[in-house]
């Protein structure tokens, strides 16, 4: 799942939301049931803020609507301006890190 905000209509900025990550979100999201990974991204020049989530299943997404324990909607003042949900086919990472994701994705489950 990819969620993104265009912050141009918010009082918040990319720079201001970094404090939210440091002081709350990174640790809080480490405990979310059904979520393997969350990566926050930004484009400061365009004031775009968002996250990529890797969930166990569609059911895990449904159980976590909006993605708890997120305070983003409250801080930004409105829901994401873009939301997309995709199926993962396969995942890799540098070095041995890929092994943590080796069995995830439809391509890997259909062997």
């Amino acid at each position: 799942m990819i969620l993104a905000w265009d912050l141009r209509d918010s009082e918040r900025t990319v720079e201001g939301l970094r404090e939210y990550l440091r002081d709350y979100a990174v640790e809080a999201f480490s405990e979310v049931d059904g979520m393997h990974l969350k990566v926050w991204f930004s484009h400061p020049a365009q004031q775009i803020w968002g996250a990529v989530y890797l969930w166990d299943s569609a059911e895990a997404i449904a159980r976590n609507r909006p993605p708890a324990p997120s305070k983003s909607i409250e801080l930004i003042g409105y829901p994401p301006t873009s939301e997309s949900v995709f199926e993962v086919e396969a995942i890799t990472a540098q070095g041995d890190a890929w092994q943590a994701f080796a069995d995830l994705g439809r391509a890997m489950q259909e062997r």
Side-chain angles (χ1 to χ4, degrees), residues 3 6 24 40 47 56 61 64 74 79 82 85 92 97 102-104:
L3 302 179
D6 180 336
Y24 173 75
W40 288 268
Q47 286 301 298
D56 285 338
I61 294 172
N64 288 284
E74 175 185 336
S82 173
V85 177
T92 193
D103 294 330
L104 298 178

Side-chain angles (χ1 to χ4, degrees), residues 18-110:
R18 289 177 182 151
E19 183 177 327
Y20 160 69
L21 295 181
R22 287 189 301 269
D23 295 346
Y24 173 75
V26 171
E27 184 175 342
F29 272 92
S30 70
E31 302 294 325
V32 174
D33 182 48
M35 189 185 76
H36 286 281
L37 177 73
K38 181 173 181 178
V39 177
W40 288 268
F41 62 85
S42 70
H43 190 300
Q46 293 184 5
Q47 286 301 298
I48 301 295
W49 178 264
V52 176
Y53 297 78
L54 178 60
W55 295 99
D56 285 338
S57 62
E59 292 79 21
I61 294 172
R63 285 193 314 268
N64 288 284
R65 285 282 188 187
S70 182
K71 294 182 180 180
S72 295
I73 294 171
E74 175 185 336
L75 292 170
I76 294 168
Y78 46 87
T81 50
S82 173
E83 179 177 334
S84 300
V85 177
F86 303 93
E87 292 204 23
V88 171
E89 294 295 332
I91 301 170
T92 193
Q94 191 173 28
D96 292 336
W98 71 271
Q99 293 176 6
F101 302 107
D103 294 330
L104 298 178
R106 294 190 57 133
M108 306 312 285
Q109 295 169 359
E110 295 176 3

